[in-house]
């Protein structure tokens, strides 16, 4: 009798272990099966290092990539060139993390049916990008290396994010040794690069001064073409005489901003850079942008001055800085960007994007004043006629990079119209002056944005 009871106990224990194991497996299956099926390298989902199923369209339904039975890109060469850094290539030299983030939707994965497709069409990812704006930005950049980005600072939708140099995935270039034309062609400069910002960084210093120096708008700043800090000199492109803060910003006066930097001090300026998120990564759709740099730990006073005008060791990522400028446009509170609008299978939406608001970066009054100053730059200096039908607030930059290279040309800002809530950035490597090079580019791109919105 004791043996029977003992054996019954063992059987019961084994049964409990089996039930516990099945329960654990079912829990893991329900919560983790999509990850098991769509792991990177899965032959059912990936090929050549990139996701290999489903289709991708732009915001208006224009087919960008069909991955069912191979990778068939758009029959428009310019569109292929403009979007390869988001779609990836056949060899995996350029990855597509935004598509991989929604691999289960593109694979047509279902918990009960596994990987399947409706009508052999697979899933569909609709991007926020506009084919028209992408190709317009590519054309505007021409043979320059750099990036142009535009996003809706109310919703977070990225309308345009173009990188050059680029390449045609259907017609790979033969790059010979010493040929610099295609140098860095696999890099998505919008999210992966860091640039010396130059004078667009004065937006940061201006906002910090407005937040922390009570009488800053009443002060006058004298510029004689340079500003002396002990034995060191900060040079300026002009001799602006006595000027208000608004005029100094309009003049992009290095002398004035060096004086402001000394009033702020290293700790205060560093704290505001941290608060504004200038050097932090931005994360969206499986993408993490490059971090910037702002380090005044061992900086002398003259280095503090140069750092306040976007030189010294300052570095910013184009996407992150555009997001900061979008926060200024949005009253001091930013909205995170995104590039995947919807992902669905068989007409059933598996993912639909929503605007994600970030933390407040600055007071609404500071954001309003910075916006007014940026608007004054356009009306009083750059020319409103460059942006017909739009109220543009902006700042140019000329970023010295050293060596025998020309400065990088930079331009950033936003449109202050309810119908076109757009923030933008353009960076052109070895370009020269932002006003001469980048402003005409953004003018062309914004004109096309008006047509698609």
């Amino acid at each position: 009798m004791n043996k029977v009871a003992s054996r019954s106990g063992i059987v019961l224990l084994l049964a409990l272990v089996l039930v516990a194991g099945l329960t654990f497996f079912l829990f893991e299956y329900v919560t983790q099966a999509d990850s098991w099926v769509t792991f990177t390298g899965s032959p059912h989902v990936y090929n050549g290092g990139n996701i290999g199923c489903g289709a991708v369209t732009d915001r208006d339904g224009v087919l960008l990539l069909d991955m069912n039975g191979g990778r068939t890109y758009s029959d428009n060469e310019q569109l292929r060139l403009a979007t390869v850094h988001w779609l990836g290539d056949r060899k995996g030299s350029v990855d597509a993390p935004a598509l991989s983030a929604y691999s289960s939707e593109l694979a047509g994965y279902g918990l009960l049916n596994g990987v399947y497709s409706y009508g052999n069409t697979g899933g569909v990812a609709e991007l926020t990008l506009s084919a028209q704006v992408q190709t317009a930005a590519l054309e505007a950049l021409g043979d320059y290396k750099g990036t142009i980005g535009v996003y809706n600072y109310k919703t977070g939708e990225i309308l345009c994010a173009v990188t050059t140099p680029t390449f045609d995935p259907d017609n790979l270039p033969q790059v010979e040794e010493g040929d610099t034309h295609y140098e860095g062609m696999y890099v998505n400069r919008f999210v992966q690069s860091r640039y010396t910002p130059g004078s667009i960084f004065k937006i940061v210093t201006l906002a910090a001064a407005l937040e922390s120096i009570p009488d800053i708008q009443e002060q006058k700043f004298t510029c004689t073409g340079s500003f002396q800090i002990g034995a060191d000199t900060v040079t300026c492109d002009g001799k602006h005489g006595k000027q208000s803060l608004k005029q100094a910003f309009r003049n992009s006066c290095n002398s004035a901003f060096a004086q402001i930097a000394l009033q702020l001090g290293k700790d205060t300026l560093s704290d505001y850079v941290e608060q504004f998120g200038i050097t932090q990564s931005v994360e969206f759709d499986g993408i993490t942008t490059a971090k910037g740099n702002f380090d005044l730990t061992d900086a002398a006073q003259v280095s503090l001055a140069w750092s306040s005008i976007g030189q010294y060791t300052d570095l910013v990522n184009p996407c992150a800085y555009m997001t900061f400028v979008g926060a200024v446009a949005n009253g001091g509170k930013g909205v995170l960007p995104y590039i995947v609008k919807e992902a669905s299978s068989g007409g059933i939406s598996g993912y639909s994007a929503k605007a994600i608001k970030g933390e407040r970066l600055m007071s609404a009054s500071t954001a309003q004043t910075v916006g007014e100053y940026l608007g004054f730059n356009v009306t009083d200096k750059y020319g409103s006629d460059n942006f017909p039908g739009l109220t543009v607030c902006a700042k140019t930059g000329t970023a010295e990079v050293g060596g025998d290279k020309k400065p990088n040309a930079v331009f950033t800002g936003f449109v202050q119209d309810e119908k076109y809530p757009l923030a933008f950035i353009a960076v052109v490597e070895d370009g020269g002056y932002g006003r001469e090079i980048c402003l005409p580019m953004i003018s062309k791109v914004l004109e096309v944005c008006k047509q698609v919105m």
Side-chain angles (χ1 to χ4, degrees), residues 17-47:
V17 170
L18 178 61
V19 170
L22 285 172
T23 302
F24 177 76
F25 172 77
L26 287 173
F27 174 78
E28 288 288 294
Y29 176 73
V30 171
T31 59
Q32 302 293 329
D34 58 339
S35 299
W36 299 343
V37 171
T38 60
F39 73 93
T40 303
S42 167
H44 302 291
V45 180
Y46 287 83
N47 58 58

